[in-house]
Amino acid sequence: METPTGKQVIRMRYQDQDNDGIRDSFIRGVIKPNGSDAPIFEAKVDLYLDAPDLEPTGGLSHNVHSSPVTLDLRGRVKFLTDGRTLIEQRNQNTPAVSVSVGGGAVTFDLLLPVEQTLLQFLSNPIKDLIAPPEES
């Protein structure tokens, strides 16, 4: 059964690189060649998911607040003429988020379908980072 959730907010979590339970490492990804097309960026990202607009019938509460979810992301890397890098990634997996409504009266899995979650990264222009030569 499909139920509209409204907007979803995701927050990226630091990675636990050495599996000591402490998340203090930046998220790592890999840029791979893609034949003659633009390179591909891949990353496995741990996130927190919130569904602030989800309103179950009857005004019941729900638990989709800081729900952990992992996305396998993949997408093209584009290098823009002004020196910016644009990465657009979509999820390659279908993670399930366990939802509890009304304190557990109803439970179900919220599925994030493949290719339906889009993350975009746009870097600062390199031209802004390079100081102009000083005039003499």
Side-chain angles (χ1 to χ4, degrees):
M1 176 174 82
E2 289 190 21
T3 302
T5 62
K7 71 180 171 191
Q8 297 174 6
V9 178
I10 57 174
R11 293 171 285 134
M12 293 185 166
R13 301 172 67 191
Y14 283 103
Q15 287 187 328
D16 178 6
Q17 289 296 103
D18 53 9
N19 296 317
D20 63 358
I22 299 172
R23 292 181 168 275
D24 58 358
S25 299
F26 291 118
I27 298 167
R28 292 187 181 204
V30 177
I31 297 177
K32 296 181 175 182
N34 189 28
S36 61
D37 205 2
I40 298 293
F41 184 77
E42 295 179 342
K44 185 173 186 172
V45 181
D46 293 328
L47 308 160
Y48 283 125
L49 172 73
D50 296 285
D53 294 337
L54 178 61
E55 295 182 12
T57 39
L60 297 172
S61 62
H62 65 83
N63 70 331
V64 188
H65 307 286
S66 298
S67 299
V69 64
T70 299
L71 293 180
D72 294 326
L73 299 171
R74 185 172 197 263
R76 290 185 175 165
V77 178
K78 297 177 186 175
F79 300 100
L80 307 178
T81 57
D82 65 357
R84 293 180 297 165
T85 302
L86 173 64
I87 300 173
E88 296 180 332
Q89 297 179 293
R90 292 190 178 269
N91 60 310
Q92 302 302 301
N93 60 332
T94 304
V97 176
S98 180
V99 178
S100 173
V101 176
V106 176
T107 60
F108 59 92
D109 286 337
L110 171 66
L111 301 177
L112 304 177
V114 169
E115 297 276 328
Q116 295 302 304
T117 301
L118 170 66
L119 274 73
Q120 294 180 323
F121 170 77
L122 181 62
S123 70
N124 289 325
I126 290 179
K127 292 179 181 178
D128 287 348
L129 301 176
I130 301 171
E134 293 185 27
E135 294 182 27
S136 38

